[in-house]
Amino acid sequence: MKVLALILSTSLLYFSVLQLSRAADTISAAQSITSTNTLVSSGQSFELGLFSAGNSEAWYLGIWYKNFPTIVVWVANRENPVADSHGSLKLSKNGSLVLLDQMNNTIWSSTSSQVAEDPVAQLLENGNLVVREKDKTDSESYIWESFNFPSDTLLPEMKVGRDFRTGLNRFLTSWKNASDPSLGEYTYGIDNLTLPQLVVAKGSKKLFRTGPWNGVQFSGTPDSGNKRVVKPIYVYDTNEFYYMYEVAESSILTRVKLSETGLAQRLVLNEGSTEWAVMYTLLNDRCDNYRECGANGICRTSKSPSCECLQGFVPKAQNEWDVLNWESGCIRQTPLDCQKEAGFLKVRNVKLPDLSEFWANTKMSVQECEAECLRNCSCVAYASSDIPNGGSGCLMWFGDLIDMQEFLEEDVEQDIHIKMPFSELGGTGKKDKRVILISVISAVSVLPLLALLCWCILLKKRGRNVSTSTGSRSIKEDWELPLFDFKTIATATNNFSHTNKLGEGGFGPVYKANLTREEFIAVKRLSKDSGQGIEEFKNEVTMIANLQHWNLVKLLGCCIEREERMLIYEYMPNKSLDCFIFDQNRKVLVNWQKRLNIIMGIARGLLYLHQDSRLRIIHRDLKSSNILLDDELNPKISDFGIARIFGRNQTEAKTKRVIGTYGYMSPEYAIDGKFSEKSDVFSFGVLLLEIVSGRKNRGFHHPDHHHSLLGHVGMVTVE
């Protein structure tokens, strides 16, 4: 048996500093900071001194949290370290900070166009090291400040962006590695002067971008859903443009760190805690990859495969898309013709395309924006640039639409309107009066036919209701499965309210329902837009009605009324496994013992399906979102919509319709459509790696290669 060992290493910071005998928060030109003392902020939150990282013999001037001395938030001499611990920081008479080595050679110095008469250096409570006149304390009088020269950490009230008056451009730069704070390969800051957006880049290559500021937030940053923690601030005027944030609650500490591998993470420390939690990581999902779906494609994390062409577009190279290579992007199915009328397709809740070819006017209304885009033959899409002010402002795109992503959050209200020929819009939009007149005359002439058609539909609907009732009786007779009426379910789910929604899969949405004050159920409702249909519904009813095991979700009944198809399950209060192992705050709730219990429970359920149940079942879609957790975090396998029954002596089957989730599929199933017990075992192996590592297989990133988590583990095992 091969064993995968996960080794966690921690880089240590060695300090040659001792606490000052007095609580100093300033130094004057007559004082200095040496290797035997530190400068401490007035509120005792931060310290400044010399440190050495890891096994390195180089020493640096830095600022760190006093209570977390291994977390360095700023480094002065990143490219020119002191050879040993015998260094000193002095403040010159004109207001320059100077770092000297043992031989009094200048290692680093602050630069400023201003000269001070009576300067002092002060480490502020927010971690900002400033030089100011002794009798002035306001921020406008700072001669120099460390916040203007960020390292790899963005603290509250620290800015990223440009100062037009001085030409200063503030951005984060990663460390080279955990033992070397010199400039690394990755940066995090604002690009595009006309309409700024936050970007993570490796050199000149974009890796991730947020999308432009829309008056509330950068459309692609998770900060919008964390208003309890941070308050984002964006300023753009004649003097400067910048982004910064403030802490919403004083009891919370938070910072943004750009790691040496290019991951930008927001970390949070709650009051009373000693462990920093990762609130979110930018570039954490495949859809976060810049230009993941190529030109005119959109990435949807809720679907598999995640890349789709926008409506009205088709893959430019279908053979490449067939093997999940989306780099070539999409092209219009029907090219735009400036001589013919066009309309707009509204795409909701998206990260707006990149701003490579665009035009912006903040004074224009949305109605004027639409009219202008229609008049301009080169315009392909438009959107509002300022959501709070009634959706005012105008953005127009020309050429290809690059790096679009769909968001599932309801508070993301950013929409885009894509110009389309009327033929691609089903004939909707503005038409000339002649066409409207002809339509009215035609409508009047066919009214008798419409009346007859409505009568036929009513008769057909009655017949279908009779057929449905017959089908319901058949289900009840065959499986003795309880039937729920639609009215009861609608009432229990508060008429399928969004607040009762637990999630959504390929089958459709799942809702929490209250039958009584103490009795809860989960209702899975077949969506009309679902890729699955009646066959999958019948299949799941057939499967689960005949399966009884502690580690399989229990089917309580179903609802078949009119066009409705719903499955009623036992309610799982902790939702699915992915809500824990991939969530930076909740994963601490599943320690190693609980993870082992979850793994063993899934294995027992799978063994029952393959060997011990009356029906031998191949699940075909085993993944973290299909593992539900009860109130004690016991796992239950769910979603049998695409499962298949195997005969006792059957070893393999083949299908032309490969459905499931990429990243969990075995190679022989994804490529040739062949599936067996081994297919589920392969999926279980991927799931096992995700549970142990806490990383998604398809969302895994490594700076040295582009493999998934599975490929990375394979490389490590070989090495």
Side-chain angles (χ1 to χ4, degrees), residues 426-482:
T428 59
K430 297 179 180 178
K431 300 188 176 184
D432 58 39
K433 295 180 179 179
R434 184 177 58 186
V435 174
I436 295 174
L437 180 61
I438 293 173
S439 300
V440 172
I441 295 173
S442 300
V444 173
S445 65
V446 298
L447 280 176
L449 292 176
L450 288 175
L452 180 61
L453 179 61
C454 290
W455 177 253
C456 292
I457 290 173
L458 287 173
L459 291 177
K460 186 175 181 181
K461 188 174 182 180
R462 287 182 181 179
R464 185 160 56 240
N465 287 340
V466 172
S467 174
T468 299
S469 300
T470 304
S472 301
R473 287 195 298 270
S474 174
I475 290 176
K476 188 171 183 180
E477 291 168 1
D478 290 348
W479 300 309
E480 298 183 356
L481 192 64

Side-chain angles (χ1 to χ4, degrees), residues 43 64 85 211 522 646:
W64 54 85
S85 62
F646 262 33

Side-chain angles (χ1 to χ4, degrees), residues 290-364:
Y290 182 71
R291 205 183 171 115
E292 173 70 12
C293 299
N296 307 311
I298 184 168
C299 199
R300 307 180 191 272
T301 55
S302 61
K303 294 191 176 182
S304 181
S306 52
C307 282
E308 293 180 355
C309 289
L310 293 165
Q311 183 177 325
F313 293 77
V314 293
K316 185 176 182 180
Q318 184 63 56
N319 59 330
E320 295 181 4
W321 278 63
D322 290 341
V323 293
L324 308 184
N325 179 6
W326 305 297
E327 186 177 351
S328 58
C330 309
I331 56 175
R332 286 186 180 271
Q333 196 166 15
T334 303
L336 288 172
D337 187 341
C338 203
Q339 303 303 315
K340 296 181 180 180
E341 288 189 284
F344 292 96
L345 171 69
K346 183 178 180 179
V347 184
R348 299 189 65 251
N349 293 355
V350 295
K351 177 168 73 173
L352 295 180
D354 199 7
L355 307 167
S356 51
E357 298 179 62
F358 78 103
W359 177 85
N361 186 330
T362 58
K363 305 298 182 182
M364 187 177 285

Side-chain angles (χ1 to χ4, degrees), residues 93-94 115-119 133 143:
K93 292 182 179 180
N94 64 4
V115 178
E117 295 180 0
D118 187 12
E133 292 287 358
I143 298 169

Side-chain angles (χ1 to χ4, degrees), residues 467-508:
S467 174
T468 299
S469 300
T470 304
S472 301
R473 287 195 298 270
S474 174
I475 290 176
K476 188 171 183 180
E477 291 168 1
D478 290 348
W479 300 309
E480 298 183 356
L481 192 64
L483 291 175
F484 291 75
D485 64 88
F486 178 80
K487 185 177 180 181
T488 299
I489 300 302
T491 302
T493 59
N494 194 19
N495 201 24
F496 302 99
S497 167
H498 180 76
T499 57
N500 285 49
K501 190 174 179 180
L502 297 173
E504 186 163 358
F507 184 98

Side-chain angles (χ1 to χ4, degrees), residues 113 147 187 193 214 276 291 358 455 461 464 466 537 541 569 591 618 644 667 709:
S113 58
F147 270 18
T187 58
L193 289 175
N214 59 21
W276 288 82
R291 205 183 171 115
F358 78 103
W455 177 253
K461 188 174 182 180
R464 185 160 56 240
V466 172
F537 177 86
V541 173
Y569 291 100
N591 56 31
I618 308 300
R644 288 292 178 265
L709 175 64

Side-chain angles (χ1 to χ4, degrees), residues 49-212:
L50 291 172
F51 74 93
S52 180
N55 297 321
S56 172
E57 296 182 357
W59 288 80
Y60 300 88
L61 176 70
I63 298 172
W64 54 85
Y65 289 98
K66 184 179 178 182
N67 292 333
F68 301 92
T70 59
I71 300 177
V72 177
V73 298
W74 182 78
V75 184
N77 54 321
R78 298 183 69 173
E79 294 296 290
N80 193 21
V82 181
D84 52 41
S85 62
H86 300 289
S88 61
L89 177 67
K90 294 186 177 182
L91 181 63
S92 67
K93 292 182 179 180
N94 64 4
S96 293
L97 288 169
V98 182
L99 178 63
L100 304 171
D101 64 11
Q102 189 175 15
M103 304 301 294
N104 282 331
N105 296 314
T106 299
I107 301 298
W108 168 88
S109 65
S110 63
T111 56
S112 174
S113 58
Q114 302 181 57
V115 178
E117 295 180 0
D118 187 12
V120 294
Q122 181 180 17
L123 182 58
L124 303 181
E125 179 58 17
N126 60 4
N128 191 10
L129 175 64
V130 302
V131 177
R132 59 175 175 81
E133 292 287 358
K134 187 175 182 179
D135 57 346
K136 295 181 180 180
T137 58
D138 60 290
S139 59
E140 296 297 324
S141 66
Y142 294 161
I143 298 169
W144 179 91
E145 56 181 308
S146 62
F147 270 18
N148 277 337
F149 306 92
S151 294
D152 67 336
T153 301
L154 187 67
L155 296 171
E157 301 177 30
M158 181 185 286
K159 303 173 183 177
V160 290
R162 291 182 181 270
D163 188 324
F164 299 129
R165 297 162 296 186
T166 63
L168 187 66
N169 186 16
R170 317 174 190 93
F171 55 89
L172 304 186
T173 307
S174 66
W175 286 25
K176 184 168 289 186
N177 57 59
S179 300
D180 186 355
S182 60
L183 299 178
E185 297 181 290
Y186 301 94
T187 58
Y188 177 54
I190 292 180
D191 81 336
N192 200 315
L193 289 175
T194 306
L195 199 64
Q197 58 187 353
L198 290 170
V199 170
V200 177
K202 183 178 182 180
S204 60
K205 180 182 178 181
K206 291 181 184 178
L207 301 179
F208 167 86
R209 68 177 190 93
T210 60

Side-chain angles (χ1 to χ4, degrees), residues 223-398:
D223 271 342
S224 61
N226 299 290
K227 296 181 176 64
R228 189 183 69 84
V229 178
V230 297
K231 175 187 176 183
I233 297 173
Y234 173 70
V235 172
Y236 195 167
D237 55 32
T238 56
N239 293 326
E240 57 183 338
F241 77 82
Y242 63 81
Y243 161 77
M244 73 174 189
Y245 64 91
E246 295 178 347
V247 179
E249 294 185 12
S250 58
S251 61
I252 295 175
L253 291 179
T254 182
R255 57 193 168 97
V256 175
K257 177 181 170 61
L258 180 64
S259 73
E260 57 269 17
T261 59
L263 296 180
Q265 297 181 316
R266 177 169 292 284
L267 298 107
V268 175
L269 181 75
N270 291 304
E271 188 174 23
S273 176
T274 59
E275 296 290 334
W276 288 82
V278 178
M279 175 174 287
Y280 62 77
T281 302
L282 301 182
L283 203 62
N284 189 47
D285 188 271
R286 188 162 189 169
C287 282
D288 289 338
N289 289 335
Y290 182 71
R291 205 183 171 115
E292 173 70 12
C293 299
N296 307 311
I298 184 168
C299 199
R300 307 180 191 272
T301 55
S302 61
K303 294 191 176 182
S304 181
S306 52
C307 282
E308 293 180 355
C309 289
L310 293 165
Q311 183 177 325
F313 293 77
V314 293
K316 185 176 182 180
Q318 184 63 56
N319 59 330
E320 295 181 4
W321 278 63
D322 290 341
V323 293
L324 308 184
N325 179 6
W326 305 297
E327 186 177 351
S328 58
C330 309
I331 56 175
R332 286 186 180 271
Q333 196 166 15
T334 303
L336 288 172
D337 187 341
C338 203
Q339 303 303 315
K340 296 181 180 180
E341 288 189 284
F344 292 96
L345 171 69
K346 183 178 180 179
V347 184
R348 299 189 65 251
N349 293 355
V350 295
K351 177 168 73 173
L352 295 180
D354 199 7
L355 307 167
S356 51
E357 298 179 62
F358 78 103
W359 177 85
N361 186 330
T362 58
K363 305 298 182 182
M364 187 177 285
S365 70
V366 175
Q367 292 75 19
E368 293 171 328
C369 188
E370 178 181 352
E372 181 63 28
C373 189
L374 281 173
R375 283 193 295 267
N376 192 321
C377 292
S378 300
C379 178
V380 298
Y382 79 90
S384 166
S385 63
D386 194 354
I387 290 176
N389 295 323
S392 63
C394 179
L395 285 175
M396 293 198 309
W397 283 264
F398 309 92

